[in-house]
Amino acid sequence: MEKLLQDFIETIAKQNQVLERLAALGQEKQELIIAGKVRELDSLIQKEGITVSNLDKMEGARFKLQENLAVQLGFKAEEFSAKKLLAWVREGCPELYPALEEVINQLDYCLIRLKAINSHNHELIDQSLVFIGEIQSLFNGDVAGIYSDKGLQSDEFESRPRLNLLDKKI
């Protein structure tokens, strides 16, 4: 049982390292979004995808260990929680309790931090898209939209001003 718990703790510690890496990448993304460096952002997103793939593999390994722990402790896998595990380890293997508590608390912190960074990045991207839409509207002029005054779908192509070759290149 102790070996299984140690493996579980090590797996969560590795997940925490990957989550910290994702948070660092997320902060780099913020800087690139603000600076408007699209190529660098694209490259960073590819790195992030690889990191997420690695995290997914670790999550699978952690879930298998968690299922094994649940079975050995007599819990159903879907009812097994960090609180239950911590309570059992405090009584059954007190020497492993501090390490388990630390990695679980760090996991909680990393997830909250990553969620906040991702939320902020989404806001920045939304602001950028609104800005792009406003600039496009300035170049193309205001149009009624894709619906007529009777609520029927209409083709707005006729209402848009024609762009010349120079406009298209810009």
Side-chain angles (χ1 to χ4, degrees):
M1 177 59 103
E2 282 189 33
K3 173 71 172 128
L4 186 58
L5 281 169
Q6 288 174 339
D7 289 346
F8 186 72
I9 292 168
E10 289 173 13
T11 301
I12 293 176
K14 288 176 185 175
Q15 278 187 302
N16 287 337
Q17 290 172 350
V18 173
L19 287 169
E20 287 173 2
R21 175 72 180 134
L22 281 173
L25 290 172
Q27 289 178 322
E28 282 182 55
K29 267 199 308 192
Q30 283 178 3
E31 294 169 12
L32 294 175
I33 291 168
I34 291 169
K37 297 182 177 181
V38 177
R39 285 192 179 130
E40 291 88 347
L41 183 61
D42 186 48
S43 174
L44 189 69
I45 289 171
Q46 290 176 4
K47 288 179 190 176
E48 186 180 49
I50 292 168
T51 306
V52 168
S53 177
N54 291 337
L55 180 63
D56 188 46
K57 290 175 187 172
M58 287 181 190
E59 181 65 9
R62 184 208 51 86
F63 190 71
K64 286 179 184 177
L65 288 169
Q66 184 173 322
E67 283 181 326
N68 289 340
L69 281 169
V71 168
Q72 288 193 13
L73 297 175
F75 292 104
K76 293 181 181 177
E78 60 273 0
E79 295 174 357
F80 194 55
S81 67
K83 281 185 177 182
K84 288 181 181 180
L85 180 60
L86 283 168
W88 187 90
V89 170
R90 182 181 294 160
E91 299 297 319
C93 295
E95 66 279 357
L96 294 176
Y97 181 80
L100 180 63
E101 183 181 39
E102 181 182 337
V103 294
I104 287 176
N105 288 338
Q106 185 180 6
L107 179 63
D108 185 47
Y109 169 77
C110 287
L111 291 172
I112 290 169
R113 179 176 175 225
L114 189 58
K115 183 178 179 180
I117 290 169
N118 285 339
S119 176
H120 186 75
N121 285 349
H122 284 291
E123 290 172 8
L124 289 173
I125 290 170
D126 287 343
Q127 288 174 358
S128 295
L129 291 173
V130 167
F131 177 74
I132 290 168
E134 290 175 3
I135 295 298
Q136 189 176 20
S137 176
L138 287 173
F139 281 121
N140 294 335
D142 289 334
V143 292
I146 59 170
Y147 292 96
S148 71
D149 57 347
K150 296 179 184 175
L152 300 173
Q153 224 174 358
S154 64
D155 185 12
E156 67 179 56
F157 183 74
E158 295 91 30
S159 62
R160 287 210 181 264
R162 302 273 190 255
L163 299 176
N164 65 28
L165 182 60
L166 180 61
D167 290 337
K168 289 180 182 178
K169 289 202 178 233
I170 289 177

